[in-house]
Every structure is written in structure tokens, then in C-alpha cells.
Amino acid sequence: MNKVGYLGPKGTFTKMAVDGLFDEIDSVSYKTIPACIDAVNAGEVDLGVVPIENAIEGSVHLTLDYLIHHVDLPIVAEATVPIRQHLLVHPSFEGDIGDIEEIYSHTQAISQCHQFIHQNAPQAHIEYTASTGQAAQLVLEKGARTAAIANEKAAREIGLKILKSDVHDYPNNHTRFVVLKQDSQPLSLEHTEKNGFKTSIMVTLPRDYAGALHQVLSAFSWRQMNLSKIESRPMKTGLGNYFFIIDVNQEYDDVLFPGVQAELRALGCQVRVLGSYPTYVVSDEKIKQLNQ
Amino acid sequence: MNKVGYLGPKGTFTKMAVDGLFDEIDSVSYKTIPACIDAVNAGEVDLGVVPIENAIEGSVHLTLDYLIHHVDLPIVAEATVPIRQHLLVHPSFEGDIGDIEEIYSHTQAISQCHQFIHQNAPQAHIEYTASTGQAAQLVLEKGARTAAIANEKAAREIGLKILKSDVHDYPNNHTRFVVLKQDSQPLSLEHTEKNGFKTSIMVTLPRDYAGALHQVLSAFSWRQMNLSKIESRPMKTGLGNYFFIIDVNQEYDDVLFPGVQAELRALGCQVRVLGSYPTYVVSDEKIKQLNQ
């Protein structure tokens, strides 16, 4: 049985990704993204799952930077999970939203529900917590007239009532997670919905000049390779030095990718493949099923 | 006197940016990035300062997404602030790092000091707080054998002792902040070090096809306009739809930029100028001076 590390505690969106991806595993919770990545690197766990885009609990930058600067672990899979925030109250609460005096949650979750709170509970005092799970725990302890913004997993595991579901301001909110492993063999999961294949590449420019990035992209463009994402990130050597993370919508092959790499290296760029991996979707239905 | 809103509470890095940029102002603290941006939009404050890259308290994505989807406020200045984390203890503490039993801080700050803690205080239990300021407050209350990771401003304002300074793992850590205003007149600050001028543009592609981004960058490249940053962000309409934020290292002019915009629109892209603004640096010396 695989041992899977993830950014915890239980009730986080990362745990929802883990439960949505894997059927029978032994899961281990880590308190920070670096601690989880270190555990994979040290062989404490076989796989590690951490957020990489649009997360509540962690920052994409932290994950990317740690992968680039501290370890050399390939990405072997990606999972996309829908983010739904709910307003949770104590099971004994009988009033409505206007009766709530305090709302607890993580600062990112509060921000994601800014419009909702502003329109429906302007009277409530906002109190920040270190995680959405901790907010739910506080409501269980404090009881009447308090509410938490958290996911349905927290409601179920901690024993709160959902007063209003889907209180997040944007309807199509998703978080992307990556699965890390010591060897680069793509992770094949039979029971999870697969929606494609991606290859992530890091490119460091030899120097900062007008048109350098345009030249880099030419290597992909004339081969008609479609990029799904591009992001510049500062090198840790000071401001103004950037490298690029490029996601290509196809599997690493023996012709196109080696061609791109050879051309970019001839231009003086450093090139590193961060992983070539299947992308999975954890659907709303799957999450509902897990929460029953 | 200008009224300036910022992401608070006091002791945050955003407040350091505000103090570093402005001499005589009336400052107002807001609890979230959306609340601060809304305040500028509603005219409650004249200017608003929020983090946009590599922040502790907030996420760049949140700021960008709110600017793009909720308001139409121009960026009128940028400020770069060095991020230094210190290990703070109660003024009565007499031991050394090995005697600390509990360390409090925000999850991002803990992550930024992951290697330091791992090597110097492996015995310490880590407790997460909603902000670095709250962590410092806890140390003041709990006293002996506890420590907080926070900045020097928190040490000074809350009255803690710096046991070890610069405990962050990366030496060149910076956060970029943007200043927002209702009109797009660039903000001219005489007493702050200026290091350039930037124009930020948002480009939405008409559809997702191989080489589309390469074509967009061609409009900048053949004019020898240097890009300092490019980032793709998902549209809120669902996964797979992206727009691009492009930072160009020069002032908006009457020839080059209108030419770029006309060409991109002819390709079917939507183009929006997010601001053309001076970039300021809050130096280490300035921060030391403010903390005296």
C-alpha cells in the first residue's frame, strides 16, 4: 500500500484531493508545504500531494520555489479539485444569517467570500484563524451566534450544520494540486477521471533582453505545441532575475521536446523538465460521494 | 493630507511599505485585500496599498483577480520591500534557541524559515497563527520558552526582544506592493528611492490555439519593448481559459503602446492597461531608520 503525505490537517482541500485521487492508501498529514516535500525527498512517504495554484491553505509560489530551489523531485500527476465554501454553524443553532455575531475563517477563505459576507452578514465581526478547519473547531466550542467558513468535509468531521452552502463569490473556483515522487514514472490511476497530459518545463534566460521570452516561445510555437500556462518567477538571487515555468499540453516525446531543449540550450538558456504527467479531475459528484 | 488604506493590522509588511513610501499621511488599516480595494473604489480613502507578489499576509492572485474582476482602479505606483524574519522572544527570556518549546507564526512565515527551524530548533512545537503580529502578541502573553517569527516592527511595537535576526531561508526575499487610486495619474514621491517605470497590461486571447501567446509577444518584441514579467491567470469562467498580465519596463507613450494595442486588437485580443507607474524601493536603511 502506498504511503501518501499531504498538506494537513484533516478537513483541508488537499485532503479532499488525496481522498478523491486514491482508493486504498496510508495517508500522513504534514503541517507545511516544505515539510511535506521534504518527507517525499527523504523517503518517509512514497508520494506527496501539495497545492500549486489558487489554494486556500498554501501558496503556489511556495510550492514552485521549493521544488525549484530545494529538491529535485518530479511531478507525476496533477489533480484539480472544485473549491466550495459553506457557512457552518453549531448543530444547536436555530436562527438565520442575520443572527450571527462572529464569523471565523482563514484569511483567504474570508476574502473568497467577501461579497457574500458584505451583503448578508454585515453585522458580523470577522475573526481570522490559521486554517478553515480551526475555524470550524472554534464554532463547535463557542456555539450559538458564531459561524465558520469552511468546506463540507470540515462540517462532517467536526459535526457542524451547513446553514448556507456555496457562499464563495466566484462560481468556478478550482485548486490545482501536484503529486510528487522520487522517480519520474507518471502516476496511473484507474478509478479517477483523467482529462489530459501535461509537461512542465523550467527555462532560465541567459540575460534580460528585449524579446528573449519571445525567442524562447518560438521554439514551441513553430512546432505547434500548445502552452496551457506560463509564469515568470523571480530567481532567489535578487530582484529582476526571472525564470519561466511553462506548461505544455502534451506528453514528453522523443522528437519535439528534445528539439525544443536543444534549441533553447543553443540560445544559452538552462532547461529543466519538472515532470510529464497525467491530469486528473476530482468531480463534484466524487466529493459528494466521499462526504456521505 | 492623503488618506491611505492598507492591508493591516499594524506590524504587517504592508504597513512597512506604507511607512517607507509616505511621510505625512493619515493611514487606515483594513482586514482583507478586497476590503482595502473596495475602500479606494468607494472613495473612503485616497490611496490603497496591497501586496501583489511574494507576500506573507496575502496572495498575489487575490489582488490581481480582484483588480481584474471587481473594480476598475489603476495602479499608480509600486513599492518593493525587503522581507526579513526574526526570532522574537519575551523581554525576560534568558536562554538560547535550544530552550524554546513553542514557536508561533503565520504559516507562510513558518514555511519561509523552514530550514532554520529544522536545523536550530527541532525540539520546538510549531503553532500557527492568523498573522505574524498575532504570533508576537501571543509571546508577550505566554512569556518564557515561547518565540514568534515576525518582523522588527512587531518586535518594537509589541515589546519583544530579537533573539536571532534574519532567520528566513532565502537571503534576497522581497515583496512587491501596488498603490491604487481612482484616477490614473502616476504617484510622484520625492523622498523615496525610485528605480524605474512600468506599464502593466492585461491581454485576453480570443481562443486557445498553439502559438497564440507567441503572436501576442511579437507585438512587443519587434518594437524592442522589454517585458519584466508575464503571468497567465485563469479566467473565472472555468478551467482552461486564461488571460495574461504583462509588465513592460517603460512608461506608456503615444507611439509604441497604442501600436501594440491596435495590433493585438486586430488579432482579436482584448487589451486593458492596468496602470503606468513609477517603481519605488523601500531600502533596508530606510526600514532601520523607521524602526528607531
Side-chain angles (χ1 to χ4, degrees), chain B residues 20-270:
Chain B
L21 281 179
F22 304 103
D23 279 336
E24 290 199 354
I25 50 148
D26 183 10
S27 69
V28 186
S29 158
Y30 290 91
K31 285 193 163 181
T32 65
I33 289 170
C36 184
I37 297 176
D38 277 354
V40 183
N41 206 35
E44 279 173 39
V45 291
D46 304 307
L47 302 167
V49 181
V50 289
I52 198 158
E53 187 175 308
N54 191 29
I56 304 287
E57 305 99 355
S59 134
V60 48
H61 293 164
L62 191 56
T63 299
L64 268 182
D65 290 352
Y66 209 79
L67 281 182
I68 303 256
H69 297 288
H70 278 285
V71 295
D72 187 16
L73 291 173
I75 301 170
V76 295
E78 178 193 278
T80 301
V81 176
I83 300 290
R84 295 179 175 278
Q85 302 284 8
H86 309 304
L87 191 70
L88 312 184
V89 292
H90 196 273
S92 69
F93 182 86
E94 290 292 342
D96 70 3
I97 297 179
D99 300 321
I100 293 167
E101 288 168 4
E102 292 210 309
I103 297 178
Y104 307 119
S105 200
H106 187 277
T107 168
Q108 295 270 30
I110 293 285
S111 296
Q112 289 187 3
C113 304
H114 174 74
Q115 303 284 338
F116 171 83
I117 296 171
H118 188 68
Q119 283 156 23
N120 298 280
Q123 81 287 349
H125 173 76
I126 308 293
E127 192 89 23
Y128 296 95
T129 56
S131 68
T132 54
Q134 193 193 325
Q137 194 62 45
L138 266 176
V139 169
L140 186 72
E141 289 161 20
K142 301 227 173 178
R145 295 184 181 276
T146 65
I149 289 175
N151 61 31
E152 55 261 61
K153 198 169 178 66
R156 192 172 54 97
E157 295 193 353
I158 292 168
L160 299 182
K161 188 164 78 175
I162 296 181
L163 184 65
K164 178 113 179 64
S165 54
D166 294 331
V167 298
H168 46 283
D169 297 332
Y170 299 113
N172 283 298
N173 204 11
H174 290 78
T175 292
R176 283 170 57 221
F177 297 88
V178 287
V179 183
L180 305 170
K181 203 174 166 215
Q182 284 198 348
D183 71 84
S184 63
Q185 185 68 33
L187 190 70
S188 178
L189 299 169
E190 288 198 0
H191 303 290
T192 311
E193 192 187 330
K194 191 169 139 180
N195 75 340
F197 219 95
K198 246 185 216 176
T199 302
S200 293
I201 291 178
M202 171 189 168
V203 179
T204 311
L205 300 182
R207 59 186 189 283
D208 197 28
Y209 61 91
L213 180 60
H214 180 251
Q215 206 174 8
V216 166
L217 294 186
S218 300
F220 297 95
S221 176
W222 77 259
R223 289 179 173 85
Q224 297 205 314
M225 294 166 83
N226 202 10
L227 312 185
S228 65
K229 187 173 165 69
I230 180 162
E231 186 171 346
S232 60
R233 291 286 307 140
M235 295 294 289
K236 294 287 177 180
T237 50
L239 280 183
N241 303 315
Y242 283 83
F243 64 86
F244 295 89
I245 305 288
I246 294 170
D247 286 354
V248 188
N249 276 345
Q250 61 198 69
E251 207 162 340
Y252 191 91
D253 68 347
D254 292 337
V255 180
L256 295 174
F257 278 98
V260 166
Q261 282 171 278
E263 278 174 23
L264 294 183
R265 286 185 180 131
L267 291 172
C269 297
Q270 287 182 305

Side-chain angles (χ1 to χ4, degrees), chain A residues 42-53:
Chain A
E44 278 174 40
V45 290
D46 304 307
L47 301 167
V49 181
V50 288
I52 198 157
E53 188 175 306

Side-chain angles (χ1 to χ4, degrees), chain A residues 32 38 114 128 214 218 230 232, chain B residues 32 38 114 128 214 218 232:
Chain A
T32 64
D38 276 354
H114 174 74
Y128 296 96
H214 180 251
S218 300
I230 179 162
S232 59
Chain B
T32 65
D38 277 354
H114 174 74
Y128 296 95
H214 180 251
S218 300
S232 60

